[in-house]
Amino acid sequence: MNILYYPEINIPRTEWAIRAFLYYDEVAAIVPYKYNMEPNFYEPFMREVLVNELVTPIDPMMNLRHQEQIQKFFQQYVTSHRRCLEQRKGFFHRTRNLKGAKLHEGKFSHSLYCFLEELGLAKYDKNGWYDVEPHTANDLMYYLASVLANTMDYRLSTDQMSYSFSTTYIHTPEYEIRHQNNRRNCILKELIPVPREYDLRKIRHFKETHRELLRTFRNHVEEIALDATILPESELFSIKLDQLRQEKEEISARMNESHLGNIILGKICGVLSPMSGVSALLNAIYNACHVERPDYNCQGMKYIVLAERNLIRK
């Protein structure tokens, strides 16, 4: 399961990013060719994740074969509603010096920026960056990310919910993807620990070592995330999430057998008087207690329990 992050070039240093690295097979980001030639353009965290191969940079100009036709479709969209266009132009003219979206010239062809400039929706700033009317920039980044994701078999993902969808798409079947992301993020926030201090190299090694466990865990999560009948604010969602939490606790206990044995034996020793053969009796009691423990199918949570033990510094 691979995701394409947008709208920013640099993936932020947030808990969302660490969870994404641990959960998805591949995390990609839309990156202009110029950045790959000059790594210093990246923010420090982005350079670090690239060095550790936790993010794959995607150059849109190198991966879209029919750029002129793709550009034409977007131009038609922008000019299809004259009233909306005039509102955006007026807003951009009034607020450009106060609030604007920055888009890099390497994400789109020069002719598209010229087209937006002629419409009064964009203006060149400096160092390869354009100021673009915010709604248009939102639409354009969603448009580009959608085409790239479809072409390269990625799923769209972002930590900025305001960018998740243009209002243009709000009433289409695509809107369900936003709800899927919301359900998925709620589950991952509850189950995946994010250490205050972490080593990106260890995160990569951990995920590579436990790919099969990750796949099993992800199947459990996706079963809920992809269910359109379960709303994140519903009682059913809370029940499902609680079940996953209980499974995580159960597998954690099973993986801590020696510690559990010490607890059981400690309780039992308090009620048994010293006599010969006590150790054999204790062993029998421990084995019986182990057999009587609830038999949950919790292997899906083993990946997360191992992550807590291997990646979190206590």
Side-chain angles (χ1 to χ4, degrees):
M1 185 175 178
N2 305 324
I3 61 168
L4 177 63
Y5 172 80
Y6 79 106
E8 307 292 342
I9 294 173
N10 295 283
I11 292 181
R13 189 187 191 103
T14 60
E15 291 187 358
W16 179 92
I18 302 303
R19 291 191 182 99
F21 298 151
L22 284 169
Y23 186 72
Y24 298 103
D25 292 319
E26 181 181 333
V27 178
I30 302 173
V31 176
Y33 177 77
K34 185 176 181 180
Y35 273 62
N36 290 325
M37 297 296 99
E38 297 289 342
N40 288 333
F41 288 160
Y42 289 114
E43 293 178 358
F45 180 69
M46 186 65 171
R47 285 200 301 270
E48 190 177 357
V49 296
L50 286 169
V51 168
N52 285 281
E53 299 180 352
L54 289 169
V55 172
T56 302
I58 302 296
D59 178 4
M61 297 298 99
M62 295 293 292
N63 288 281
L64 296 177
R65 296 178 298 164
H66 307 289
Q67 297 175 27
E68 291 185 6
Q69 193 169 0
I70 292 172
Q71 175 181 318
K72 181 180 179 181
F73 291 143
F74 186 78
Q75 291 173 342
Q76 291 174 346
Y77 156 72
V78 172
T79 57
S80 60
H81 299 285
R82 178 58 58 179
R83 183 178 178 182
C84 180
L85 175 59
E86 293 302 321
Q87 289 176 342
R88 292 186 179 192
K89 287 168 62 177
F91 178 78
F92 186 58
H93 178 74
R94 294 191 304 271
T95 64
R96 189 174 66 85
N97 293 328
L98 300 175
K99 181 181 180 181
K102 299 287 187 182
L103 294 182
H104 194 273
E105 61 183 0
K107 287 189 174 181
F108 309 95
S109 67
H110 178 68
S111 59
L112 178 56
Y113 284 113
C114 290
F115 171 78
L116 294 177
E117 281 189 294
E118 291 175 1
L119 288 179
L121 296 175
K123 186 174 181 60
Y124 184 77
D125 185 15
K126 59 182 178 179
N127 299 326
W129 290 92
Y130 281 84
D131 284 324
V132 181
E133 188 277 324
H135 298 287
T136 306
N138 185 11
D139 288 348
L140 187 51
M141 280 308 305
Y142 176 71
Y143 179 76
L144 175 64
S146 296
V147 175
L148 281 171
N150 180 70
T151 301
M152 306 182 69
D153 195 26
Y154 287 101
R155 294 188 182 188
L156 291 185
S157 188
T158 181
D159 61 333
Q160 302 181 34
M161 293 308 294
S162 61
Y163 281 92
S164 293
F165 285 89
S166 162
T167 54
T168 306
Y169 303 92
I170 196 168
H171 298 298
T172 72
E174 304 289 336
Y175 188 60
E176 170 56 22
I177 297 176
R178 179 169 186 169
H179 289 294
Q180 292 176 8
N181 284 333
N182 191 18
R183 287 190 288 269
R184 187 179 295 111
N185 289 338
C186 288
I187 296 170
L188 298 185
K189 187 174 181 180
E190 177 68 28
L191 296 180
I192 295 185
V194 176
R196 294 181 179 179
E197 298 181 19
Y198 47 80
D199 185 328
L200 292 176
R201 181 183 57 82
K202 288 184 178 179
I203 289 177
R204 176 194 169 193
H205 177 72
F206 176 82
K207 187 166 70 171
E208 290 178 345
T209 303
H210 301 290
R211 286 195 180 278
E212 289 302 318
L213 288 177
L214 169 57
R215 185 175 295 109
T216 304
F217 168 66
R218 195 160 52 213
N219 288 340
H220 283 242
V221 175
E222 293 302 308
E223 184 177 358
I224 302 174
L226 299 180
D227 190 339
T229 66
I230 303 178
L231 299 178
E233 62 273 13
S234 69
E235 183 178 357
L236 179 58
F237 182 81
S238 298
I239 293 173
K240 294 283 187 178
L241 186 57
D242 190 57
Q243 288 175 343
L244 294 181
R245 192 184 300 111
Q246 289 181 20
E247 289 178 6
K248 177 183 174 182
E249 293 173 356
E250 173 63 19
I251 195 64
S252 180
R254 285 172 179 260
M255 292 170 62
N256 200 20
E257 293 292 344
S258 61
H259 177 64
L260 182 64
N262 290 336
I263 294 175
I264 293 175
L265 293 178
K267 291 181 178 179
I268 295 172
C269 285
V271 298
L272 289 178
S273 59
M275 67 180 77
S276 61
V278 165
S279 60
L281 177 59
L282 291 178
N283 185 62
I285 293 174
Y286 171 71
N287 288 334
C289 290
H290 175 73
V291 169
E292 283 299 312
R293 292 174 62 197
D295 187 18
Y296 296 133
N297 181 15
C298 306
Q299 290 304 307
M301 296 300 111
K302 187 174 181 179
Y303 178 77
I304 299 307
V305 174
L306 288 173
E308 286 185 338
R309 298 188 179 194
N310 288 276
L311 300 178
I312 294 183
R313 300 176 184 175
K314 297 180 178 181

